[in-house]
């Protein structure tokens, strides 16, 4: 990796976006990911229908949009966790449609999940070692075959321990992943994604459900990824976080990319306002539902906070 400073990388990314049109699908100077006409339908519902979109190399790009816009489904298509009905996309100029998840990961494009997928009956270190082999998809049990570890075991363990130290999980290396707090599981998932030394890291709501004490740490880790030369594409609902860390924002609604632009002004774009106003909202909660949810959230937060401060 280059010895460029973090400031240089951020400045380079911002310079790349400076004179771009703020139009959906706008070409980028040096795209690492180029997507064309990706469609995914579920019965009569078109969950994803993205005409054209590019992700600039070295950027931190946010993917936003109302609930149900198709962000997670879009991630699933690109990373081989689901099969698109049609479309093409290239990563580093290499065609990726039809490539299974573990091969996509090994090619340098990894993702994390909105609902964290740590294997709770495995230790933290074992989870990390699995990350070196493949991403955990439907066939993850195959990765448990010890033969695949032979030969590289030492190297993999070294890298796992180095990453665990960076993410301050080294003290937990022999604990079951199931014993970690929600926030620590998010950290573990991010650390595990880095086992394959990716070039593009796709994070699906990396901060969701994490207590505020850990949010700053997670944000720092996301910024670190770019400082180390990686490209980041992340889904996030919290616009303060989007403004804090992203250089560019891509907005999805009803499966399509409807707007792109810098984080400072994207929320004043008419198309974005309409998309959020027009989005379906869940039925309003009754008072007692609300009270119950609030109580549950408080209990969960307290438990997580205790876990964090115990160390
Ligand atoms: N496996 C599936 N079968 C049927 N419908 C699905 C499936 N997965 C997603 N959908 C539907 O596709 C649409 C897009 O969902 P998706 O989860 O991609 O949205 P999202 O933008 O990630 O939303 P959120 O912000 O709530 O995570 C939704 O209407 C959802 O109900
Ligand atoms: Mg989602």
């Amino acid at each position: 990796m280059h010895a460029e400073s973090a400031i240089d990388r951020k400045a380079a990314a911002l310079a790349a976006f400076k004179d771009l049109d703020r139009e959906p699908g706008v070409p980028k100077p040096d795209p690492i990911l180029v997507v064309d006409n990706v469609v995914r339908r579920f019965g009569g519902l078109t969950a994803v229908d993205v005409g054209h979109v590019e992700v600039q190399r070295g950027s931190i790009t946010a993917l936003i949009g109302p609930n149900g816009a198709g962000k997670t489904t879009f991630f699933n298509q690109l990373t081989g966790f689901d099969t698109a009905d049609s479309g093409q996309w290239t990563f580093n100029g290499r065609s990726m449609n039809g490539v299974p998840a573990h091969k996509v990961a090994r090619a340098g494009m990894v993702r994390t999940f909105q609902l964290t997928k740590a294997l709770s009956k495995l230790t933290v270190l074992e989870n990390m070692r699995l990350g070196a082999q493949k991403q955990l998809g439907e066939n993850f049990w195959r990765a448990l075959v010890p033969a695949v570890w032979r030969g590289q075991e030492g190297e993999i363990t070294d890298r796992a321990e180095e990453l665990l130290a960076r993410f301050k999980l080294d003290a937990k290396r022999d604990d079951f992943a199931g014993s970690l707090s929600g926030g620590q599981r998010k950290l573990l998932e991010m650390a595990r994604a880095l086992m394959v030394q990716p070039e593009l890291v796709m994070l699906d709501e990396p901060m969701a459900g994490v207590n505020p004490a850990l949010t700053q740490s997670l944000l720092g880790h996301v910024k670190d990824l770019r400082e180390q030369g990686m490209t980041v594409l992340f889904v996030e609902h919290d616009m303060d976080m989007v403004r804090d860390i992203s250089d560019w924002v891509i907005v999805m609604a009803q499966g399509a990319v409807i707007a792109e632009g810098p984080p400072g002004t994207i929320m004043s774009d008419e198309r974005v306002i309409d998309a959020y106003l027009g989005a379906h909202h869940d039925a309003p909660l009754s008072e007692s539902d609300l009270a119950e949810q609030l109580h549950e959230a408080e209990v969960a937060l307290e438990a997580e906070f205790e876990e964090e401060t115990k160390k």
Side-chain angles (χ1 to χ4, degrees):
M1 274 180 205
H2 307 284
E4 289 169 75
S5 73
I7 300 296
D8 291 345
R9 290 190 195 280
K10 171 121 184 135
L14 289 174
F17 290 118
K18 193 168 155 278
D19 297 319
L20 288 192
D21 282 343
R22 296 167 184 196
E23 289 304 316
V26 60
K28 311 293 182 324
D30 181 16
I32 189 169
L33 178 69
V34 178
V35 179
D36 280 296
N37 303 316
V38 169
V39 176
R40 177 64 164 113
R41 293 190 192 88
F42 296 110
L45 173 84
T46 303
V48 170
D49 186 356
V50 170
H52 184 82
V53 76
E54 300 185 2
V55 175
Q56 170 70 11
R57 187 186 310 279
S59 70
I60 301 183
T61 297
L63 179 63
I64 69 168
N67 295 118
K71 305 176 298 291
T72 296
T73 307
F74 188 46
F75 268 27
N76 289 345
Q77 312 312 306
L78 299 181
T79 51
F81 283 90
D82 189 18
T83 309
D85 293 305
S86 56
Q88 301 89 43
W89 58 100
T90 60
F91 168 67
N92 270 331
R94 187 176 149 195
S95 174
M96 283 286 153
N97 35 319
V99 178
H102 66 282
K103 288 199 177 146
V104 173
R106 255 182 259 165
M109 177 168 159
V110 285
R111 61 87 62 86
T112 62
F113 290 88
Q114 187 168 353
L115 300 171
T116 305
K117 287 196 175 180
L119 295 178
S120 47
K121 296 275 164 60
L122 296 184
T123 68
V124 167
L125 186 61
E126 285 164 342
N127 268 278
M128 291 294 286
R129 286 154 49 121
L130 276 179
Q133 293 308 326
K134 62 186 298 178
Q135 291 223 276
L136 306 185
E138 278 151 25
N139 301 324
F140 66 78
W141 295 110
R142 255 193 285 151
L144 292 174
V145 178
V148 294
W149 287 339
R150 259 175 237 141
Q152 303 165 291
E153 193 137 11
E155 207 179 295
I156 288 174
T157 304
D158 288 351
R159 180 159 176 77
E161 288 185 339
E162 192 187 307
L163 283 166
L164 288 177
R166 202 210 292 173
F167 283 80
K168 298 202 169 62
L169 288 169
D170 40 340
K172 310 248 167 207
R173 78 195 273 283
D174 298 317
D175 294 359
F176 290 122
S179 74
L180 300 181
S181 71
Q184 288 170 331
R185 251 176 275 173
K186 288 276 189 195
L187 285 170
L188 172 59
E189 206 189 0
M190 205 186 287
R192 187 178 55 197
L194 301 184
M195 285 297 288
V196 295
Q197 298 182 278
E199 283 179 62
L200 172 62
V201 184
M202 299 167 58
L203 306 167
D204 196 349
E205 302 199 23
M207 267 78 76
V210 172
N211 85 56
L214 260 187
T215 307
Q216 283 308 317
S217 152
L218 272 160
L219 277 174
H221 283 296
V222 175
K223 290 179 187 168
D224 267 0
L225 300 180
R226 191 255 294 280
E227 288 177 20
Q228 286 156 17
M230 287 169 252
T231 305
V232 179
L233 176 65
F234 78 109
V235 176
E236 178 56 55
H237 283 288
D238 185 327
M239 276 313 291
D240 288 334
M241 287 183 207
V242 168
R243 268 190 293 271
D244 183 355
I245 58 176
S246 68
D247 316 312
W248 189 254
V249 181
I250 296 172
V251 189
M252 278 183 83
Q254 297 182 329
V257 172
I258 56 145
E260 296 195 38
T265 55
I266 192 74
M267 291 312 284
S268 51
D269 185 306
E270 288 289 327
R271 294 164 295 193
V272 180
I273 294 168
D274 288 349
Y276 277 90
L277 290 178
H280 298 288
H281 294 286
D282 294 333
L285 294 165
S286 71
E287 290 269 319
S288 64
D289 284 344
L290 265 178
E292 193 178 313
Q293 287 196 0
L294 200 61
H295 177 69
E296 276 173 24
E298 276 167 0
V299 170
L301 276 176
E302 259 167 38
E304 191 161 326
F305 189 70
E306 262 167 37
E307 182 80 19
E308 303 310 337
T309 48
K310 232 170 18 196
K311 285 170 280 179

